[in-house]
């Protein structure tokens, strides 16, 4: 590689990496915990839901209850199971009946307990698992700023990955096996950055690509919308199959009784092992009422087996069918594969644990990259003012990033002791505590102290998480295992292992003398 290309790749890699480093760390740290979103939510509620995406609900009983509360006639209703929990998500559109009362024309969305049919607002169902999941794509920042910001961060991360590979291409194999912890500080950070970056490279590339696709796909396809669809975004959505079929409302009440449970069971029996994940009812109670049943074949048998059936309720006839085994188009495969590899929901706990480890490794790669940048700019021939500015920048970076570990552990404890903790109080505890910790470390002006304090305090709090759960609920991790409450058991044991590893690392850290204050 000639010097010109090398300098272009080097500076592109450095600048793109430094600009996005803090936000990228937050995304990967929160995203690593998001692999266990289902387990965290059920741990908070001291519940253990079936390890299945299938909706567990008595549809007739649930709709009868909702009809008393909301008057369902003329509404479009969607019932889905977004995560493995004992609640389903219900979305009600306003009625199409023009003569209905104003309140019936308002929409509603909430969660419904699939056993006692108690409803919860989104705020009442908000949890630490939801907070961490949404933090990993910056959803706490008002829409669409947070979404687009996370998407562009993923895009810049992709640049950093590609330019990093090009920089190290000739020595990519030999450098992978080199690690010199006793050499000077820059050499240590460079070796760690290169080796761990290579270990996590496929993982990082996948998440850079899929993160970009999920967050800014509208901007990516905008030229196609303008050129091929003449600005008609609705037509594009229809061809990409993001929109469901629409059926006209006739404003005539259905005379015959109907049984949604039977229609769902009928759709389920069309294919072996078909799991129903979404039920949409259009024009409830109307003569042109339709029921759309969507689901999938378990990934063990068909990686992208998505299917659906639509029934015309008045005569029970099937008006549309998509076979999940034989009718998956190229478009279906692309969308489903991108979704599956991003969420890592196809390999059980083994894949989730490996993904978590690779996510934390990526966090370390980000930190080591920042430290390489700092050490390279602390040479004695540089002006003192620049050296201090660079050190201050990295101090802020480390304070913000490393304090995520103890504050996450503390919020686990708080969410259990004060359950149910409202969305507002969760935000105060997590983001308020995070801010205070970061300010404390910035004022302390000691990067070594920041690192060690975060590891030790996070470890201590991590050990307290299963203890807190045992005291508050009386359900210790061994009893959870015996009672087959695997999700609760997993989170308790997960924190014991994570706290043990971070404590071991903290007590084996040896400070280097080249750091600049």
């Amino acid at each position: 590689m000639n010097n010109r290309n090398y300098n272009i790749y080097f500076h592109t890699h450095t600048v793109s990496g430094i600009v996005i480093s803090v936000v990228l760390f937050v995304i990967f740290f929160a995203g690593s915990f998001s692999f266990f979103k289902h387990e965290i939510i059920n741990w908070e509620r001291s519940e253990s839901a079936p390890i299945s995406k299938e909706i567990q609900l008595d549809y007739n009983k649930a709709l009868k209850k909702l009809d008393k509360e909301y008057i369902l006639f003329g509404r479009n209703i969607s019932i889905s199971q977004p995560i493995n929990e004992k609640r389903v998500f219900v979305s009600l559109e306003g009625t199409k009946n023009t003569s209905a009362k104003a309140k019936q024309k308002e929409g509603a969305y909430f969660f419904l307990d699939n056993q006692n049919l108690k409803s919860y607002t989104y705020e009442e169902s908000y949890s630490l698992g939801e907070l961490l999941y949404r933090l990993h794509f910056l959803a706490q920042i008002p829409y669409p700023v947070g979404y687009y910001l996370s998407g562009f961060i993923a895009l810049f991360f992709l640049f950093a990955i590609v330019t990093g590979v090009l920089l190290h291409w000739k020595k990519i194999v030999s450098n992978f096996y080199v690690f010199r912890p006793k050499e000077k500080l820059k050499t240590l950070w460079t070796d760690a950055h290169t080796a761990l970056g290579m270990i996590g490279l496929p993982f990082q590339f996948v998440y850079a690509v899929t993160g970009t696709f999920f967050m800014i796909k509208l901007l990516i396809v905008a030229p196609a919308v303008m050129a091929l669809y003449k600005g008609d975004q609705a037509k594009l959505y229809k061809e990409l199959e993001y929109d469901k079929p629409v059926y006209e409302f006739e404003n005539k009440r259905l005379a015959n009784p109907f049984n949604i449970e039977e229609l769902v069971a009928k759709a389920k029996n069309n294919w072996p092992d078909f799991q129903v994940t979404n039920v949409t009812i259009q024009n409830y109670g109307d003569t042109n009422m339709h029921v759309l049943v969507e689901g999938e074949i378990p990934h063990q048998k068909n990686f992208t087996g998505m299917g659906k059936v639509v029934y015309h309720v008045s005569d029970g006839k099937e008006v549309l069918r998509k076979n999940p085994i034989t009718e998956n188009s190229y478009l279906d495969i692309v969308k489903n594969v991108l979704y599956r590899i991003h969420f890592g929901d196809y390999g059980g706990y083994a894949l989730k644990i490996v993904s978590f480890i690779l996510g934390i490794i990526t966090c370390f790669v980000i930190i080591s990259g920042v430290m390489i940048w700092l050490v390279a700019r602390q040479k004695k021939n540089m002006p003192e003012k620049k050296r201090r500015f660079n050190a201050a920048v990295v101090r802020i970076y480390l304070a913000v990033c490393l304090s995520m570990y103890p504050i996450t552990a503390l919020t686990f404890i708080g969410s259990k002791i004060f359950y149910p903790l409202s969305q507002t109080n969760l935000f105060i505890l997590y983001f308020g505590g995070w801010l205070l910790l970061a300010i404390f470390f910035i004022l302390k002006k000691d990067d070594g102290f920041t690192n060690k304090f975060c590891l030790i305090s996070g470890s201590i709090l991590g050990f307290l998480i299963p203890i807190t759960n045992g005291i508050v609920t009386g359900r210790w991790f061994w009893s959870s295992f015996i009672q087959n409450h695997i999700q609760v058991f997993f989170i308790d044991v997960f924190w014991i292992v994570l706290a043990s590893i971070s404590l071991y690392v903290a007590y084996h850290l040896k400070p280097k003398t080249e750091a600049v204050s």
Side-chain angles (χ1 to χ4, degrees):
M1 183 187 300
N2 60 50
N3 287 335
R4 181 176 180 275
N5 287 343
Y6 180 87
N7 288 332
I8 290 172
Y9 296 147
F10 178 82
H11 290 297
T12 303
H13 181 75
T14 303
V15 171
S16 60
I18 289 297
V19 167
I20 66 176
S21 57
V22 171
V23 181
L24 191 64
F25 183 98
V26 171
I27 288 172
F28 268 96
F29 188 88
S32 297
F33 279 88
S34 296
F35 286 114
F36 308 119
K37 175 185 176 183
H38 305 178
E39 287 75 17
I40 294 171
I41 291 174
N42 286 298
W43 179 87
E44 287 179 82
R45 298 172 182 166
S46 299
E47 298 176 347
S48 193
I51 309 298
S52 170
K53 292 185 176 182
E54 185 162 32
I55 299 173
Q56 311 286 330
L57 183 70
D58 185 326
Y59 296 93
N60 292 336
K61 189 176 179 181
L63 290 169
K64 185 176 180 181
K65 177 180 182 293
L66 294 177
D67 196 24
K68 291 179 181 178
E69 297 177 17
Y70 294 95
I71 312 298
L72 299 181
F73 177 70
R75 292 182 184 266
N76 290 346
I77 306 163
S78 177
I79 302 172
S80 59
Q81 182 83 56
I83 65 172
N84 298 335
E85 61 176 336
K86 292 184 176 180
R87 298 178 188 180
V88 295
F89 181 70
V90 179
S91 174
L92 304 178
E93 294 183 14
T95 183
K96 300 173 185 175
N97 182 8
T98 54
S99 61
K101 296 179 180 178
K103 192 173 182 180
Q104 295 175 34
K105 295 178 182 178
E106 297 175 359
Y109 62 94
F110 49 87
F111 289 88
L112 192 70
D113 190 293
N114 59 20
Q115 294 179 343
N116 59 27
L117 301 183
K118 182 180 178 181
S119 60
Y120 301 86
T121 64
Y122 176 75
E123 289 74 19
E124 291 171 337
S125 285
Y126 203 85
S127 63
L128 177 57
E130 182 74 2
L131 185 152
L132 291 170
Y133 169 70
R134 298 184 70 77
L135 178 60
H136 102 277
F137 53 92
L138 310 180
Q140 283 82 8
I141 300 174
Y143 179 83
V145 177
Y147 283 51
Y148 286 164
L149 177 60
S150 64
F152 280 110
I153 292 293
L155 184 60
F156 281 114
F157 184 45
L158 188 59
F159 290 154
I161 292 171
V162 173
T163 52
V165 170
L166 292 173
L167 278 174
H168 296 287
W169 184 251
K170 286 188 176 181
K171 297 182 178 179
I172 207 164
V173 175
S174 59
N175 285 357
F176 177 76
Y177 294 100
V178 176
F179 185 64
R180 297 159 286 184
K182 294 184 180 180
E183 295 291 333
K184 61 183 181 179
L185 193 59
K186 185 182 177 183
T187 302
L188 186 153
W189 285 120
T190 301
D191 289 348
H193 185 77
T194 303
L196 292 175
M198 284 307 304
I199 290 172
L201 179 62
F203 172 87
Q204 293 156 16
F205 182 80
V206 163
Y207 280 85
V209 172
T210 56
T212 302
F213 171 78
F214 286 127
M215 292 295 103
I216 57 174
K217 58 179 176 286
L218 288 181
L219 296 181
I220 294 172
V221 301
V225 174
M226 300 305 296
L228 301 177
Y229 296 92
K230 299 180 180 179
D232 190 348
Q233 186 173 303
K235 186 178 179 181
L236 173 66
Y237 271 29
K238 184 178 180 180
E239 292 201 9
L240 291 177
E241 297 184 9
Y242 282 116
D243 289 338
K244 300 182 187 300
V246 177
Y247 300 97
E248 293 295 324
F249 176 65
E250 296 179 350
N251 204 12
K252 298 177 183 177
R253 289 188 178 272
L254 193 61
N256 301 324
F258 52 87
N259 190 322
I260 302 298
E261 192 78 32
E262 285 184 0
L263 293 176
V264 173
K266 184 178 177 182
K268 181 176 172 59
N269 290 332
N270 280 319
W271 306 285
D273 304 309
F274 186 67
Q275 296 181 343
V276 176
T277 57
N278 189 85
V279 175
T280 302
I281 303 170
Q282 287 200 23
N283 309 319
Y284 185 89
D286 186 68
T287 51
N288 200 31
M289 176 180 175
H290 285 74
V291 175
L292 166 63
V293 182
E294 297 176 287
E296 61 184 53
I297 303 294
H299 60 80
Q300 300 93 333
K301 299 189 176 182
N302 193 321
F303 194 69
T304 59
M306 311 294 289
K308 60 186 175 184
V309 187
V310 178
Y311 295 105
H312 186 232
V313 177
S314 62
D315 54 17
K317 289 183 178 180
E318 185 180 294
V319 297
L320 186 150
R321 175 191 288 209
K322 184 174 185 178
N323 191 313
I325 302 172
T326 62
E327 295 184 29
N328 277 279
S329 65
Y330 174 77
L331 178 63
D332 294 321
I333 293 171
V334 170
K335 290 192 296 184
N336 295 335
V337 167
L338 286 173
Y339 180 90
R340 285 205 181 280
I341 62 177
H342 187 86
F343 287 91
D345 63 348
Y346 56 89
Y349 281 113
L351 180 62
K352 288 184 178 183
I353 292 169
V354 170
S355 298
F356 176 85
I357 293 170
L358 290 172
I360 297 302
I361 285 176
T362 304
C363 291
F364 185 83
V365 170
I366 296 165
I367 291 293
S368 60
V370 172
M371 297 309 297
I372 292 170
W373 179 87
L374 172 65
V375 175
R377 284 157 181 77
Q378 296 306 308
K379 297 175 183 178
K380 292 181 180 179
N381 60 355
M382 289 193 70
E384 181 69 16
K385 188 175 181 181
K386 278 192 175 183
R387 294 173 65 194
R388 291 192 175 277
F389 174 78
N390 293 337
V393 169
V394 172
R395 186 180 305 120
I396 294 170
Y397 278 22
L398 293 179
V400 172
C401 295
L402 297 181
S403 55
M404 283 190 78
Y405 181 42
I407 199 61
T408 299
L410 178 64
T411 310
F412 266 85
I413 294 172
S415 66
K416 176 58 69 172
I417 294 175
F418 301 106
Y419 179 81
L421 203 58
S422 68
Q423 181 179 3
T424 300
N425 289 331
L426 263 175
F427 278 21
I428 291 172
L429 176 57
Y430 194 91
F431 294 110
W434 188 7
L435 177 63
L436 291 175
L437 267 181
I439 292 173
F440 169 70
F441 293 135
I442 292 169
L443 297 177
K444 180 70 177 173
K445 296 183 179 180
D446 187 340
D447 295 343
F449 173 83
T450 299
N451 190 21
K452 203 152 192 176
F453 183 92
C454 288
L455 286 172
I456 294 174
S457 62
S459 300
I460 294 170
L461 291 168
F463 284 123
L464 290 175
I465 288 171
I467 295 174
T468 302
N469 185 38
I471 293 173
V472 172
T473 66
R475 183 179 293 169
W476 300 89
F477 67 87
W478 56 84
S479 61
S480 297
F481 181 77
I482 293 170
Q483 296 168 12
N484 202 34
H485 294 156
I486 300 301
Q487 292 161 323
V488 177
F489 164 79
F490 177 84
I491 293 298
D492 282 345
V493 173
F494 166 80
W495 270 108
I496 293 172
V497 174
L498 182 60
S500 300
I501 294 172
S502 57
L503 193 62
Y504 176 85
V505 171
Y507 278 104
H508 285 78
L509 284 175
K510 293 181 180 179
K512 292 277 184 178
T513 57
E514 296 176 50
V516 178
S517 61

